[in-house]
Amino acid sequence: MNIIEITNLHKIYNESEVNVHAVNNVSLNFKEGEFAAIVGPSGSGKSTLLNMLGGLDEPTDGKILIDNTDLSELKSSDLIQFRMQNIGFVFQSYNLIPVLTAKENVEFIMHLQNRPKKECEKRTMELLDAVGLKGRENSRPSKLSGGQQQRVAVARALASKPKFVLADEPTANLDSKSTENLLEIMEDLNKKENITFIFSTHDQRVVNKAHRVITLEDGKIISDERKKGTGSDS
Amino acid sequence: MNTNIKLAWRNLWRNRRRTLITVASIFFGVMLSAYMTSMQEGSYTKMVDIVVKFYSGYMQVHHEDYWENKSINNSFEYNQELADELLANKDVEFVFPRLESFGLASSKELTKGAMIFGIDPLGENQLTKIADKVRSGKYLEAEDEGVLMGAGLAKYLQLGVNDTLVIISQGYHGVSAAEKFPVRGIIKHVSPELNKTIVYMSLAKCQEFFSAENRLTSLVINVADNDVMKRAFHDLKKKMKAPYSIMSWEEMQPEVVQQIESDRAGGIIMKAILYIVIAFGILGTIMMMIMERRREFGVMVAIGMRKGKLASVIFFETLFIGLLGILSGLLVSYPLLLLQSANPIPLTGQAAQLMEEFGFEPYMFFSTAWQVFSQQAISVSVITLIIAIYPVISIFRFKVIKALKA
Ligand SMILES: Nc1ncnc2c1ncn2[C@@H]1O[C@H](COP(=O)(O)OP(=O)(O)OP(=O)(O)O)[C@@H](O)[C@H]1O
Ligand SMILES: [Mg+2]
């Protein structure tokens, strides 16, 4: 079953006289358990697409269904609620709340969901363990490396038990070792817990790990390849 | 709620220096403003004290027509029940009678208009301390047959102690009154006006002279201070029935009240300017903070924090800054002003001399009334609450996507 259905999506920015067609007639489906990369040159519309998919930006035209919910039909306050319950986010940088420790950052979203305290703590520890940060739970972001911060961000994105995780260039600010490490963790979570990841990247090594690669150019999909022998495209 | 407060508190210390500078600006504002208010209120309290002790007392009971037409015909008969009723109020310290009228005072060749006060020498002295102002001779005794006269009047009439003063007047209901009195003492009244016109005699003598047996023009009521007066006055006024009426010193001397009010208004303008400057300081800090954290706010709303919740965090941050400023300001200014009010600042030079001549003690007095402090606390709270609206509005207005790109 598709958890995401995108049909004829458009985004046009009206920059003074020039209209920028950032996303041009994109139709895409994602199934549960996918590990998909969106690639393309700078300015091809990757971020724009991901932002609309995450309900952060409004399409000019077209439709996005997430688990049969039409995002355009949600009021802005419901949309925030919807994001919290259904979508995990990992941003390129400055993801974490600087005054909260790693553990509190992960718990934060569960507190927003009003989950019982016990459950919050348990899941937080499991997640921090899964991203290899056991022992660093009480460090604030400023005391963590960029790679460690991104791993906390992944843990946080998963804390709310979302239907899928969106990551816009999660490794752009990381060195190659941290990049590899983060990818391994994401892949591991994808394999073991069947978590859906959709991420954009410029990094060929990240692309190589993906099970599906969607290539954009000038806002249009120019290719959508699934690699053999991987997860959910069976 | 709990998390919001925790977040707000921690955010406060992210830019420690900026927070401290903002708090310090409120701190100094509160200090300065409290000091100024304390000094003003202290001087008013002293002023009221002097005005009251000078003559009027805190309250007076008259015949209801007396204040409009201060004639001896509007006097009333002394009655113990009335005095008892007044004394029954627990705030009332003591009550004493007066009979006031006018007459012509003469020596052998000279004559001058005079104010004639029939007093209870003991009670009168309790309030106005006039016995201390006797320059020659002695103070009156309870049923004294003689008089005490102002130094100015004595000088004009060329009279001294043990000389004879003649007073001619009209008594109760037009009975004529004329009598000779031995001068017991000369007093130097602090009011130049009274000094030139005043004649004191014992109440009994005065009543006899004016053929106003057992009659009074006023019953002077004394209480501890002005705050107590307000309470007692409120109570007593309800109990007072015709033909009596009770007046507070404020009603009897509205010009003094007006003078205090206009001085206070001047102070309020200065404090308002001070607080406006501080308000812009706080606003600047908050605006800067919001700008710097736009992206962070964007991330928080993106991952699912409702804007209302985010706004309440920032609201608390603003509030904390205000509260820290108020608290630190009051914590320091309270003991400081306690100390200052226990040790009023002595004044020197011409101003001091002038004050002494008018019966003021030449000191700068300080008040530690709770209003001195609550006024600052309320002002800063109101300012902070108003400023706290700004981040709330800007959070509800911002677009997540724009904030994320910031
Ligand atoms: N807020 C905006 N206003 C106007 N034009 C915009 C805006 N955001 C993006 N664009 C334009 O839309 C197009 C797509 O931008 P987008 O950020 O999605 O590209 P991208 O593929 O993520 O690029 P990069 O790899 O550099 O991150 C670009 O031409 C960009 O200039
Ligand atoms: Mg991008």
Side-chain angles (χ1 to χ4, degrees), chain A residues 93-163:
Chain A
S93 58
Y94 310 114
N95 260 308
L96 304 176
I97 300 168
V99 294
L100 299 182
T101 63
K103 176 167 165 274
E104 289 165 336
N105 260 292
V106 178
E107 277 175 344
F108 181 75
I109 205 161
M110 289 190 275
H111 284 316
L112 294 180
Q113 289 175 318
N114 291 323
R115 302 262 195 94
K117 219 177 155 120
K118 266 253 175 71
E119 188 195 329
C120 289
E121 296 218 343
K122 184 163 168 275
R123 185 160 172 79
T124 301
M125 288 327 226
E126 281 170 11
L127 285 167
L128 284 174
D129 194 13
V131 297
L133 282 174
K134 210 172 181 176
R136 299 307 304 270
E137 49 277 275
N138 292 321
S139 304
R140 291 218 187 161
S142 58
K143 297 276 173 348
L144 297 172
S145 73
Q148 287 169 331
Q149 286 183 39
Q150 285 306 65
R151 284 188 265 150
V152 176
V154 170
R156 181 190 60 193
L158 293 176
S160 60
K161 298 196 173 157
K163 298 212 165 64

Side-chain angles (χ1 to χ4, degrees), chain B residues 1-294:
Chain B
M1 185 61 111
N2 214 347
T3 6
N4 293 5
I5 290 174
K6 183 173 76 185
L7 256 176
W9 182 254
R10 289 195 191 167
N11 281 329
L12 209 56
W13 302 110
R14 269 162 79 170
N15 198 327
R16 196 177 296 252
R17 197 182 314 166
R18 187 166 66 200
T19 301
L20 287 178
I21 288 172
T22 314
V23 168
S25 81
I26 304 172
F27 167 82
F28 286 115
V30 167
M31 286 268 292
L32 202 70
S33 192
Y35 201 82
M36 203 165 104
T37 313
S38 172
M39 206 156 80
Q40 278 188 313
E41 293 301 321
S43 76
Y44 303 152
T45 306
K46 201 65 206 169
M47 190 162 156
V48 169
D49 195 49
I50 288 166
V51 160
V52 159
K53 287 188 176 151
F54 196 68
Y55 165 64
S56 72
Y58 278 105
M59 293 171 275
Q60 289 188 5
V61 173
H62 308 122
H63 183 277
E64 57 190 350
D65 298 330
Y66 179 73
W67 201 253
E68 287 293 301
N69 175 14
K70 287 182 190 124
S71 147
I72 195 155
N73 293 336
N74 287 328
S75 58
F76 62 95
E77 200 159 352
Y78 177 75
N79 106 45
Q80 191 61 41
E81 271 167 51
L82 175 64
D84 286 346
E85 188 171 288
L86 296 173
L87 284 166
N89 186 300
K90 65 177 171 24
D91 292 323
V92 172
E93 290 183 341
F94 54 88
V95 170
F96 63 89
R98 269 190 201 144
L99 179 62
E100 297 173 21
S101 194
F102 303 91
L104 286 174
S106 329
S107 56
K108 284 199 184 82
E109 278 132 31
L110 298 157
T111 300
K112 198 172 187 294
M115 293 178 69
I116 298 151
F117 280 22
I119 58 167
D120 161 18
L122 230 65
E124 188 74 28
N125 191 44
Q126 242 180 323
L127 179 74
T128 59
K129 306 274 183 290
I130 52 166
D132 298 344
K133 290 164 192 144
V134 175
R135 286 289 167 270
S136 55
K138 58 185 181 47
Y139 185 57
L140 296 177
E141 277 160 22
E143 312 231 314
D144 216 308
E145 301 274 315
V147 299
L148 211 58
M149 55 196 297
L153 181 62
K155 194 173 166 198
Y156 181 84
L157 298 176
Q158 296 167 358
L159 292 175
V161 178
N162 293 331
D163 288 349
T164 302
L165 172 73
V166 178
I167 302 176
I168 305 160
S169 183
Q170 202 169 50
Y172 187 53
H173 286 318
V175 178
S176 73
E179 206 173 325
K180 289 181 191 168
F181 299 89
V183 177
R184 293 276 190 255
I186 310 283
I187 69 164
K188 178 149 175 33
H189 207 287
V190 289
S191 149
E193 199 46 47
L194 285 178
N195 208 35
K196 277 186 269 183
T197 51
I198 194 102
V199 174
Y200 286 108
M201 53 179 91
S202 69
L203 181 66
K205 187 71 214 169
C206 193
Q207 288 169 334
E208 185 198 316
F209 173 68
F210 283 108
S211 310
E213 198 146 334
N214 207 26
R215 298 190 79 83
L216 311 174
T217 49
S218 45
L219 259 178
V220 181
I221 305 165
N222 202 49
V223 292
D225 59 42
N226 208 31
D227 287 334
V228 173
M229 184 280 281
K230 290 195 168 112
R231 187 170 64 203
F233 181 64
H234 186 77
D235 261 23
L236 293 174
K237 195 165 178 115
K238 275 190 290 191
K239 291 198 181 120
M240 219 36 62
K241 288 185 205 77
Y244 306 116
S245 86
I246 187 166
M247 290 176 89
S248 66
W249 72 266
E250 292 170 327
E251 291 171 312
M252 293 185 280
Q253 294 168 100
E255 67 286 351
V256 176
V257 178
Q258 221 163 50
Q259 199 186 332
I260 290 177
E261 287 307 325
S262 76
D263 194 83
R264 206 177 252 148
I268 286 173
I269 290 171
M270 279 181 63
K271 282 179 269 182
I273 292 170
L274 180 70
Y275 277 131
I276 286 170
V277 172
I278 291 169
F280 277 105
I282 306 175
L283 184 63
T285 300
I286 300 298
M287 283 172 78
M288 209 133 75
M289 181 268 283
I290 299 251
M291 286 221 302
E292 286 171 4
R293 281 164 53 192
R294 264 177 71 92

